[in-house]
């Protein structure tokens, strides 16, 4: 559009006169209101984060008195020191890092190889294997059979495998990668085959190195999912030293809100909880917020790729 | 193939009695040939592509163990199950567990809670990203648009645990919402202890987390609409609203329908993890849904077969919903998942 205007000013003139005719006061009012609305929406969206940061630097007393809003009141950093010096927090934080790295590696290995195989147009039985994966999107075993599978059949309770294996394949990610590989230029693979590379060679030496962008996207999807997950730990882990940090946070929040339920009123313990909760939440969400601005475009492109094939 | 048909046709024309035998014979030969060809090509395919098939060994084993085995594990909904005993149960009990929950008033309470929560989300939550995408599409300044997008996508990447924590803080007696109410002279409300507020809290927090990210597919679909359509409409005197109604919305209809079908399919599985984190016994009357109920009776109270029966019931409803939504959409508007 922009190039049109630049290259042919006379046409642009005609065009803008056509469109500008309709730029009535109504349109102007709409634009202004739209900008105001979107600005407000954005402010409402980020308000909870601002409030979280404010609360984590505030004193318990100020939070209890409902004074904390956008800015810390009764500035304090002692809670940070307290949380950071809790060894269990770091043990669980380290567990989260391990689960995320191992889980992402396993998930990427399964997803990439499977997606490549089912993207081969002439592969016999291709439709069957695609169907095998897609059906699981719409029908599943349910909570209890999964629980029995992991704890009883496989005996994975209190092991890392219960954290990294059950979610190791997202069919959505699989379909995104499949459609990416399908659009991969066939000439490259043909040339490699003529040069004597086997399917393994083509996959590892040609396809993988040229798919860095889509692989980065999928890696991020899996990593964020694993970083954020807590329910698997809730189901399959009893051993506190194996908890991921989200489970640590969940128990902290459950303890604080649980006491609120019992007493039915705001006690001091709850207020201390609110401050500690904020600090812990901030520390667990920090890696995501720090990385997010740089990788956002990969996430978006991943979803877009998925929309190609639906 | 054509030759064969021709031959059969010729025979039929000549004499009825001969034709049936001949046709049958031809058909048999054809089928046998087909089978041979199949066998040959499978062998051929394996010889040619065995390396590609080795790529699928681990993923297929994964699917069979972690996806299909639990599906088969649903069999304990029809069998008596003893924890620590056989993973597929001890003896057949027929529909005993299904009758049990169908005659249980508490089941129906959580069932209707699920339907109401899922329905509210579908009516309120589903259109929100469409509206936001349309509004973003009208923005002229790229910088402003990108800023709004970046900031509204962010909540999507937060753990549900963090979202629940934020909800607890904002709705606390001394939290921001009550501060705002206090500003207008309204007494503090203990939101999380009153069943009347649970649904609103769920919907609003869900919208907060998903609305921005939900626009991506619609924004992508909007870029594919031909600009000339708008110009033609403007020349014909269509105002902004008419352009939206007659060009924009039909242009993104396939995307809307696909997402609607998917949403209808997951209708019964309402944000289970979030409900589990947010609920407490004081608000079960609105805040308890099928999945949280079956989690409690199954994992926590150990009634595995009973909970599995409920889970299977829910999964079958989900499957039926997605299939019928897909069928209806294909018939009515011609867009579908498959």
């Amino acid at each position: 559009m922009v190039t049109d205007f630049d290259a042919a000013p006379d046409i642009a003139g005609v065009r803008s006169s056509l469109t500008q005719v309709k730029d009535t006061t109504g349109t102007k009012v709409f634009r202004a209101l739209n900008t105001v609305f979107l600005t407000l929406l954005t402010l409402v969206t980020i308000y909870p984060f601002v409030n979280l940061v404010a609360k984590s630097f505030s004193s318990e007393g100020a939070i209890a008195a409902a004074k904390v809003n956008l800015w810390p009141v009764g500035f304090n950093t002692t809670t940070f020191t307290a949380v950071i010096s809790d060894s269990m927090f770091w043990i669980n934080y380290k567990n989260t890092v391990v689960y995320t790295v191992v889980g992402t590696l396993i998930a990427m290995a399964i997803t990439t190889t499977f997606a490549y195989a089912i993207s081969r147009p002439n592969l016999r039985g291709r439709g069957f294997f695609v169907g095998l994966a897609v059906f699981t999107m719409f029908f599943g075993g349910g909570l209890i059979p999964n629980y029995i599978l992991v704890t009883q059949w496989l005996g994975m309770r209190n092991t890392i495998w219960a954290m990294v294996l059950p979610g190791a394949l997202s069919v959505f990610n699989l379909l995104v990668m499949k459609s990416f590989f399908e659009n991969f230029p066939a000439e490259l693979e043909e040339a490699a085959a003529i040069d004597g590379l086997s399917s393994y060679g083509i996959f590892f030496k040609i396809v993988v190195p040229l798919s860095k962008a889509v692989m980065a996207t999928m890696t991020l999807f899996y990593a964020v999912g694993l970083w954020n997950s807590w329910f698997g730990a809730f189901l399959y882990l009893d051993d506190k030293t194996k908890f991921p940090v989200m489970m640590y946070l969940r128990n902290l929040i459950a303890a604080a809100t649980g006491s609120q339920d019992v007493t039915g009123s705001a006690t001091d313990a709850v207020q201390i909880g609110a401050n500690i909760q904020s600090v812990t939440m901030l520390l667990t969400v920090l890696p995501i917020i720090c990385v997010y601005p740089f990788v956002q475009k990969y996430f978006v492109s991943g979803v877009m790729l998925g929309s190609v094939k639906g | 193939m054509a030759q064969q048909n021709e031959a059969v046709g010729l025979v039929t024309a000549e004499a009825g009695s001969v034709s049936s035998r001949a046709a049958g014979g031809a058909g048999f030969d054809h089928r046998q040939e087909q089978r041979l060809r199949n066998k040959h090509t499978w062998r051929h395919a394996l010889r040619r592509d065995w390396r590609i098939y080795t790529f699928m060994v681990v993923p297929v084993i994964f699917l069979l163990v972690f996806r299909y085995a639990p599906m088969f594990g649903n069999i304990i909904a029809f069998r008596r199950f003893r924890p620590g005993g056989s993973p597929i149960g001890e003896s057949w009990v027929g529909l005993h567990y299904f009758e049990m929950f169908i005659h249980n008033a508490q089941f129906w309470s959580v069932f209707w809670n699920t339907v109401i929560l899922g329905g509210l989300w579908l009516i309120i939550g589903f259109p929100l990203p469409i509206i936001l995408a349309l509004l973003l599409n009208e923005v002229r300044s790229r910088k402003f648009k990108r800023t709004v997008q970046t900031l509204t996508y962010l909540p999507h990447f937060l753990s549900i645990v963090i979202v629940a924590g934020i909800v607890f803080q904002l709705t606390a007696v001394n939290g921001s919402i009550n501060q705002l109410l206090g500003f207008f002279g309204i007494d503090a409300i203990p939101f999380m202890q009153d069943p009347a507020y649970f649904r609103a809290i769920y919907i609003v927090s869900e919208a907060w987390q998903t609305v921005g990210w939900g626009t991506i597919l619609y924004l992508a679909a909007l870029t594919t609409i031909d600009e000339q359509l708008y110009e033609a409409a403007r020349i014909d005197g269509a105002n902004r609203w008419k352009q939206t109604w007659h060009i924009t919305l039909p242009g993104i209809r396939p995307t809307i329908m696909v997402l609607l079908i998917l949403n209808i399919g997951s209708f019964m599985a309402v944000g289970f993890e979030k409900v589990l984190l947010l609920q407490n016994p004081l608000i079960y009357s609105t805040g308890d849904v099928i999945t949280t109920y079956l989690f409690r009776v199954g994992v926590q109270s150990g009634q595995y077969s009973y909970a599995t029966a409920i889970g299977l019931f829910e999964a079958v409803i989900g499957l039926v919903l997605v299939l019928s939504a897909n069928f209806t959409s294909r018939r009515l508007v011609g867009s579908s998942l498959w």
Side-chain angles (χ1 to χ4, degrees):
Chain A
M1 227 45 213
V2 179
T3 49
D4 259 354
F5 281 73
D6 292 344
D10 49 337
I11 295 176
V14 174
R15 200 176 258 179
S16 59
S17 73
L18 274 175
T19 49
Q20 235 97 80
V21 166
K22 299 291 165 199
D23 257 12
T24 53
T25 24
T27 307
K28 277 178 193 152
V29 169
F30 168 78
R31 286 242 166 78
L33 285 178
N34 193 18
T35 309
V36 171
F37 174 77
L38 290 174
T39 310
L40 282 176
L41 183 85
T42 309
L43 291 177
V44 168
T45 306
I46 55 168
Y47 173 76
F49 294 100
V50 179
N51 188 242
L52 191 69
V53 176
K55 276 188 175 164
S56 46
F57 288 103
S58 296
S59 71
E60 297 92 15
I63 300 176
K67 281 180 186 159
V68 184
N69 215 327
L70 291 167
W71 203 250
V73 178
F75 190 83
N76 101 86
T77 52
T78 49
T79 323
F80 275 92
T81 332
V83 172
I84 286 171
S85 58
D86 180 3
S87 64
M88 192 53 84
F89 177 75
W90 289 113
I91 290 171
N92 293 347
Y93 212 100
K94 195 198 76 199
N95 287 340
T96 293
V97 175
V98 173
Y99 297 156
T100 303
V101 171
V102 175
T104 306
L105 286 176
I106 293 175
M108 282 307 289
I110 292 182
T111 310
T112 317
T113 51
F114 198 20
Y116 183 68
I118 59 175
S119 74
R120 303 298 84 204
N122 300 319
L123 191 77
R124 224 179 146 69
R126 176 176 178 263
F128 169 76
F129 291 109
V130 174
L132 197 71
V134 169
F135 181 66
T136 64
M137 273 178 112
F138 301 105
F139 192 72
L143 184 68
I144 306 296
N146 273 301
Y147 179 74
I148 292 172
L149 172 83
V150 172
T151 57
Q152 212 170 313
W153 295 23
L154 302 172
M156 287 177 176
R157 188 189 282 280
N158 280 326
T159 65
I160 178 176
W161 307 116
M163 298 295 97
V164 297
L165 286 181
L169 179 71
S170 143
V171 178
F172 176 81
N173 290 358
L174 178 76
L175 295 179
V176 171
M177 286 209 97
K178 171 176 159 282
S179 72
F180 177 83
F181 288 143
E182 275 166 355
N183 296 323
F184 202 81
E187 297 79 21
L188 271 173
E189 289 164 74
E190 278 160 21
I194 290 164
D195 285 351
L197 277 179
S198 70
S199 299
Y200 292 148
I202 294 174
F203 179 70
F204 288 109
K205 289 185 184 151
I206 311 284
V207 176
V208 169
L210 288 174
S211 310
K212 274 185 199 135
V214 72
M215 292 191 56
T217 307
M218 295 297 111
T219 304
L220 288 169
F221 275 140
Y222 279 123
V224 169
L226 282 154
W227 185 274
N228 285 339
S229 75
W230 70 284
F231 188 64
F234 189 55
L235 270 184
Y236 304 129
L237 303 182
D238 309 314
D239 184 351
K240 277 190 173 141
T241 60
K242 298 214 163 93
F243 280 173
V245 74
M246 284 304 161
M247 201 50 201
Y248 176 94
L249 180 62
R250 183 262 163 197
N251 288 343
L252 197 76
I253 294 170
T257 53
S259 65
Q260 202 174 7
D261 294 333
V262 175
T263 59
S265 65
T267 63
D268 272 356
V270 177
Q271 300 330 310
I272 295 166
N275 183 229
I276 294 181
Q277 278 176 59
S278 306
V279 171
T280 318
M281 281 199 259
L282 198 62
L283 289 174
T284 47
V285 85
L286 214 57
I288 291 196
I289 298 212
C290 290
V291 175
Y292 173 73
F294 306 101
V295 297
Q296 188 214 357
K297 63 169 197 270
Y298 289 107
F299 285 120
V300 175
S301 70
V303 176
M304 300 268 201
L305 269 171
S307 71
V308 176
K309 274 266 162 158
Chain B
M1 197 60 198
Q3 256 179 347
Q4 207 171 43
N5 281 342
E6 216 172 283
V8 172
L10 274 173
V11 176
T12 322
E14 268 178 307
S17 60
V18 184
S19 83
S20 65
R21 226 183 305 134
F28 175 71
D29 282 348
H30 175 67
R31 251 176 277 135
Q32 203 174 31
E33 202 183 291
Q34 188 70 45
R35 212 177 300 139
L36 271 172
R37 203 185 302 145
N38 272 342
K39 215 171 174 181
H40 173 73
T41 40
W42 260 116
R43 200 187 299 146
H44 177 73
L46 277 172
R47 193 182 302 145
R48 188 189 56 182
D49 290 330
W50 66 272
R51 287 187 179 87
I52 300 282
Y53 287 108
T54 59
F55 278 149
M56 290 203 277
V57 173
V58 175
V60 168
I61 291 175
F62 171 85
L63 282 178
L64 292 178
V65 171
F66 285 99
R67 298 290 181 269
Y68 285 89
M71 265 182 231
F72 176 69
N74 272 323
I75 200 169
I76 66 164
F78 307 96
R79 290 169 71 86
R80 186 156 286 121
F81 176 84
R82 191 169 50 81
S86 165
I88 54 160
E90 315 288 332
S91 57
W92 291 99
V93 292
L95 296 175
H96 172 72
Y97 293 109
F98 290 87
E99 280 164 17
M100 230 170 106
F101 75 70
I102 280 173
H103 294 116
N104 185 338
Q106 207 187 348
F107 168 76
W108 289 108
S109 157
V110 297
F111 178 82
W112 289 115
N113 278 345
T114 311
V115 171
I116 293 169
L117 208 57
L120 279 175
W121 177 246
L122 206 59
I123 295 165
I124 301 168
F126 180 74
L128 288 179
I130 304 175
I131 298 167
L132 183 58
L134 292 178
L135 293 180
L136 277 170
N137 199 42
E138 300 287 341
V139 172
R140 286 287 173 89
S141 155
R142 256 181 209 201
K143 211 171 171 186
F144 178 66
K145 187 176 171 185
R146 201 172 305 145
T147 312
V148 174
Q149 282 175 286
T150 304
L151 291 173
T152 54
Y153 292 172
L154 186 57
H156 172 81
F157 296 97
L158 298 188
S159 172
I160 298 178
V161 179
I162 306 242
V163 174
I166 287 175
V167 168
F168 281 125
Q169 296 217 345
L170 293 179
T171 57
V173 180
N174 48 39
S176 301
I177 296 175
N178 273 318
Q179 285 176 24
L180 192 68
L181 291 180
F183 180 76
F184 292 108
I186 302 167
D187 287 339
I189 301 168
F191 287 105
M192 295 314 289
Q193 290 154 52
D194 189 339
Y197 299 106
F198 179 79
R199 285 173 187 146
I201 290 168
Y202 174 86
I203 300 286
V204 170
S205 62
E206 195 74 3
W208 173 75
Q209 194 180 10
T210 60
V211 67
W213 188 250
T215 60
I216 294 181
L217 289 178
Y218 295 118
L219 287 172
L222 283 169
T223 59
T224 64
I225 298 175
D226 191 350
E227 192 65 27
Q228 290 179 349
L229 288 174
Y230 290 106
E231 266 165 48
R234 274 193 288 263
I235 292 163
D236 288 348
N239 62 23
R240 188 168 294 274
W241 176 245
K242 279 188 174 160
Q243 288 171 36
T244 305
W245 190 251
H246 293 291
I247 300 170
T248 315
L249 283 176
I252 60 172
R253 189 165 60 197
T255 311
I256 296 180
M257 288 320 292
V258 164
L259 290 175
L260 184 63
I261 295 165
L262 288 173
N263 268 274
I264 289 173
S266 56
F267 173 75
M268 296 295 280
V270 285
F272 159 62
E273 289 187 21
K274 198 166 87 184
V275 176
L276 192 64
L277 287 166
L278 287 181
Q279 68 171 201
N280 66 65
L282 291 175
I283 54 173
Y284 277 172
S285 65
T286 58
D288 203 15
V289 294
I290 296 180
T291 30
T292 51
Y293 173 68
L294 83 84
F295 170 74
R296 260 198 332 278
V297 297
V299 178
Q300 289 179 340
S301 312
Q303 303 181 54
Y304 292 101
S305 288
Y306 177 62
T308 305
I310 297 175
L312 185 59
F313 177 73
E314 192 204 308
V316 169
I317 292 182
L319 188 62
V320 169
L321 282 174
V322 80
L323 290 176
S324 31
N326 195 50
F327 177 80
T328 315
S329 168
R330 191 168 48 201
R331 276 293 170 85
L332 290 183
V333 291
S335 18
S336 61
L337 293 174
W338 58 80

